[in-house]
Amino acid sequence: MDEATVAVPLWAWAAVGAVIAVMLAIDVLMHRDSHVIELREAVVWSAVWISAGLLFGLVVWFGLGGEPASAYFSGYLLEKALSVDNVFVFALIFGYFRVPPGYQHKVLFWGVVGALVFRLLFILAGAELLDRLAWAAFVLGAFLVWTGWRLAVRGKPDVDPERNLVVRLFRRVVPTDAQYHGDRFTTRVAGRRQATLLLVTLVAIEATDVVFAIDSVAAILAITTNTFLVWTATAFAVLGLRSLYFCLAGLLRHFGYLRYGLALLLAFAGVKLILAETPVGKLPVWLTLAVVVLILAVSIAASILAIRRGRDVA
């Protein structure tokens, strides 16, 4: 059965939503105090989120079949890989605003909540666009190929939140106190409620993530247009973004070849989306999964080999 035509009942959407809500609630309870997330804690939570994503893939396998499960795993791996680029940019934003390490988890938590909402909206809109307008596949495909090329040649991203239109508009409209007040997003200064620098950081994170969401949602829609599979793969990948950040933020600069792997993944997704509207047709889901795994494995292995040889990959 074509994974794009699999009908998913409303109760399944509600059940997944409930599971995600429970997992987020557990995360809040476990991190209700503002503390520095050490590597060991980050690794444990990363293992929890990754296990949850893989277990859900098995649920899809037994509930919907092998092809939908392959589409889910392909989308999950793709989103997980693309989230690595998010981690690097988030690290730059935290460094720019000099966010104390103990407050970073709270910012990322609410950033992930916002990311889930925005991605759901983009997924529904993108799937509807592809369903109604055949030429939209060519536009999105070309956009992904261009994005992949830009990622490969751009070098390190230049992150300046002060030039971000959303951040500038927020500071102009909302009274802001340019310092931290514990882990609070708002505070009272001279009897007037104002946003703290922590809230400005959150706005910068959300505004940046919207840009990433456009790329990632377009890429995963190239794998499957089944909104349930796209949403669940995206959600479980994004849920582990916070823990991934604390695991990788200090290591990403060493994995130079990973950027080229991500660029190739985006370009591959774009070509796949375009080919689906040509006589070639949709590439098999198993082939997509194999290509995703191969590109990630080669780029990571090349980065590790370069590290061992003492080479600095630009």
Side-chain angles (χ1 to χ4, degrees):
M1 180 184 293
D2 186 352
E3 88 289 339
T5 62
V6 173
V8 179
L10 186 60
W11 65 263
W13 283 86
V16 172
V19 169
I20 292 174
V22 170
M23 294 177 73
L24 288 173
I26 293 175
D27 194 302
V28 170
L29 291 175
M30 295 297 294
H31 300 92
R32 57 183 178 273
D33 60 321
S34 296
H35 66 280
V36 178
I37 306 296
E38 301 293 346
L39 180 60
R40 181 177 179 180
E41 181 181 359
V43 170
V44 170
W45 275 99
S46 289
V48 169
W49 294 121
I50 291 174
S51 297
L54 297 179
L55 285 174
F56 186 80
L58 294 179
V59 171
V60 173
W61 188 292
F62 289 111
L64 300 178
E67 188 166 343
S70 296
Y72 167 84
F73 281 121
S74 299
Y76 176 78
L77 286 175
L78 179 62
E79 289 297 302
K80 204 70 174 175
L82 292 176
S83 67
V84 171
D85 214 30
N86 295 48
V87 169
F88 184 78
V89 174
F90 292 169
L92 293 178
I93 292 176
F94 283 146
Y96 181 90
F97 286 111
R98 296 182 175 83
V99 181
Y103 305 156
Q104 292 177 4
H105 182 275
K106 182 175 182 178
V107 174
L108 289 175
F109 174 84
W110 290 108
V112 164
V113 172
L116 290 173
V117 174
F118 283 123
R119 278 166 169 75
L120 178 58
L121 295 177
F122 289 164
I123 287 167
L124 295 176
E128 186 69 17
L129 186 66
L130 291 173
D131 183 57
R132 291 180 177 272
L133 302 174
W135 55 264
F138 293 97
V139 175
L140 287 178
F143 170 73
L144 286 172
V145 172
W146 174 77
T147 302
W149 174 83
R150 184 186 61 179
L151 177 60
V153 302
R154 74 181 183 185
K156 295 182 180 179
D158 180 21
V159 177
D160 185 358
E162 294 299 336
R163 295 189 299 180
N164 186 292
L165 181 61
V166 176
V167 174
R168 292 169 59 187
L169 181 62
F170 178 84
R171 279 185 152 170
R172 180 171 298 182
V173 174
V174 180
T176 304
D177 184 47
Q179 59 182 326
Y180 294 102
H181 293 265
D183 64 351
R184 290 178 292 176
F185 287 129
T186 64
T187 188
R188 283 193 176 276
V189 178
R192 186 184 184 190
R193 178 66 63 180
Q194 294 188 2
T196 66
L197 192 56
L198 198 65
L199 184 55
V200 176
T201 305
L202 176 59
V203 172
I205 290 286
E206 294 286 14
T208 303
D209 186 68
V210 167
V211 178
F212 283 110
I214 296 173
D215 295 346
S216 64
V217 169
I220 196 171
L221 284 173
I223 296 176
T224 178
T225 55
N226 185 302
T227 52
F228 180 77
L229 297 177
V230 173
W231 162 240
T232 51
T234 300
F236 280 105
V238 170
L239 282 171
L241 183 58
R242 299 180 311 287
S243 300
L244 184 67
Y245 168 80
F246 291 107
C247 286
L248 300 181
L251 301 176
L252 284 181
R253 63 182 181 273
H254 300 298
F255 286 81
Y257 286 111
L258 187 56
R259 185 177 80 245
Y260 299 106
L262 298 180
L264 192 56
L265 281 176
L266 288 171
F268 169 72
V271 172
K272 182 179 185 297
L273 196 59
I274 293 173
L275 290 178
E277 299 300 325
T278 68
V280 175
K282 292 182 61 176
L283 298 181
V285 174
W286 66 265
L287 179 60
T288 300
L289 179 58
V291 170
V292 171
V293 172
L294 179 62
I295 291 175
L296 289 177
V298 170
S299 59
I300 291 174
S303 297
I304 294 175
L305 185 61
I307 293 173
R308 290 182 175 179
R309 291 180 176 179
R311 294 169 54 192
D312 183 22
V313 183

